[in-house]
């Protein structure tokens, strides 16, 4: 799959934000307390479950809950740990159209990219507030439809997102920063690498193919 994607005349690399570009370090315990306290989240839910439920049932409540979470995400930007540098993004942009596809809002991704000096190398950002639902699958469907004919590769650290990439015709590469997560990716037949290893390998392969 990867060779076929890289052989296309146009190549697109889709990068997750939290876990690939940066470690955002959001205080998720505080987020959950706030969401439960406001009545948006049920105590047994995960954040993604809550967002998908509200998206399906009440878009106004979805927007309110998303904005509440965004406050914590924006607050975390200043203490985020860089996983891909400006140089890594520049290198990728020499061979690919670079897009951020994230379950964070687009504004949070833009703030992160400004902080690390990488905004100029990114063609666009699709986030949970871009109107396609909080599911990665819908975001990927939008981009593959819009940029049809290109070869798509995605770097992500969540197995569910990698599976959705496969369903969208996007080649998934697993970003793993510990041996346990790397083993999970290998069980699915998806090659694991650190964010920097994955980015530089993709740039090198594309460079070899011309």
């Amino acid at each position: 799959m990867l060779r076929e994607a890289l052989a296309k005349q146009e190549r697109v690399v889709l990068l997750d934000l939290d876990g690939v570009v940066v470690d955002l370090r959001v205080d998720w315990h505080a987020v959950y307390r706030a969401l439960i306290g406001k009545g948006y989240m049920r105590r047994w839910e995960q954040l993604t479950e809550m967002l998908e439920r509200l998206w399906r049932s009440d878009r106004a409540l979805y927007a309110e809950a998303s904005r509440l979470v965004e406050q914590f995400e924006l607050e975390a930007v200043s203490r985020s740990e860089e996983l891909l540098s400006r140089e890594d993004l520049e290198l990728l942009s020499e061979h690919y159209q670079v897009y951020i596809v994230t379950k964070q809002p687009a504004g949070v991704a833009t703030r992160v990219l400004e902080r690390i000096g990488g905004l100029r190398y990114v063609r666009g950002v699709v986030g949970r507030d871009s109107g396609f639902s909080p599911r990665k699958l819908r975001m990927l469907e939008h981009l593959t439809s819009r940029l049809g004919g290109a070869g798509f590769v995605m770097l992500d650290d969540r197995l569910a997102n990698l599976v959705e990439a496969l369903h969208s015709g996007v080649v998934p590469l697993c970003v793993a920063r510990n041996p346990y997560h790397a083993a999970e990716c290998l069980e699915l037949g998806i090659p694991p690498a650190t964010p920097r290893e994955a980015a530089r390998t993709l740039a090198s392969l594309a460079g070899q193919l011309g």
Side-chain angles (χ1 to χ4, degrees):
M1 285 183 69
L2 181 58
R3 182 175 293 275
E4 291 177 8
L6 297 187
K8 295 290 183 68
Q9 185 173 2
E10 295 291 332
R11 305 180 185 115
V12 179
V13 64
L14 309 175
L15 304 177
D16 184 36
L17 183 71
D18 187 19
V20 175
V21 179
V22 295
D23 181 355
L24 198 52
R25 297 185 176 178
V26 176
D27 184 349
W28 292 114
H29 292 296
V31 171
Y32 276 49
R33 287 195 299 271
L35 289 169
I36 292 170
K38 293 285 188 179
Y40 297 121
M41 176 180 276
R42 297 162 179 165
R43 291 185 179 276
W44 58 87
E45 282 185 311
Q46 297 295 316
L47 180 61
T48 54
E49 292 173 325
M50 179 209 72
L51 289 170
E52 289 176 16
R53 172 176 57 79
L54 291 178
W55 176 266
R56 292 190 302 267
S57 63
D58 191 322
R59 297 289 173 87
L61 281 181
Y62 171 85
E64 291 176 12
S66 179
R67 285 193 295 268
L68 177 59
V69 179
E70 184 176 5
Q71 295 174 21
F72 291 90
E73 292 166 326
L74 286 169
E75 187 269 334
V77 169
S78 62
R79 61 173 180 271
S80 60
E81 176 190 357
E82 179 183 290
L83 301 178
L84 289 180
S85 66
R86 180 191 65 78
E87 291 78 13
D88 294 324
L89 293 172
E90 181 180 13
L91 184 62
L92 280 172
S93 73
E94 293 172 1
H95 304 283
Y96 299 85
Q97 298 178 50
V98 181
Y99 285 81
I100 305 297
V101 182
T102 175
K103 292 188 176 183
Q104 270 73 47
V108 172
T110 299
R111 187 81 62 87
V112 166
L113 291 168
E114 289 173 342
R115 182 173 183 266
I116 66 176
L119 185 59
R120 71 175 70 179
Y121 306 113
V122 173
R123 291 286 187 94
V125 177
V126 179
R128 68 168 184 261
D129 59 346
S130 297
F132 308 110
S133 103
R135 284 189 65 186
K136 277 283 177 80
L137 179 63
R138 302 301 175 223
M139 302 179 198
L140 296 174
E141 287 173 345
H142 162 71
L143 283 172
T144 54
S145 173
R146 176 182 159 196
L147 304 170
F152 290 86
V153 182
M154 184 174 83
L155 302 186
D156 206 297
D157 64 331
R158 292 189 176 273
L159 296 182
N161 296 337
L162 295 168
V163 171
E164 290 191 337
L166 282 169
H167 287 304
S168 304
V170 175
V171 179
L173 295 180
C174 176
V175 169
R177 291 185 287 148
N178 63 68
Y180 176 76
H181 190 39
E184 287 185 317
C185 294
L186 286 171
E187 285 181 7
L188 287 176
I190 301 174
T194 67
R196 188 152 292 162
E197 288 170 347
R200 294 184 178 182
T201 298
L202 282 176
S204 176
L205 289 172
Q208 292 170 28
L209 291 169

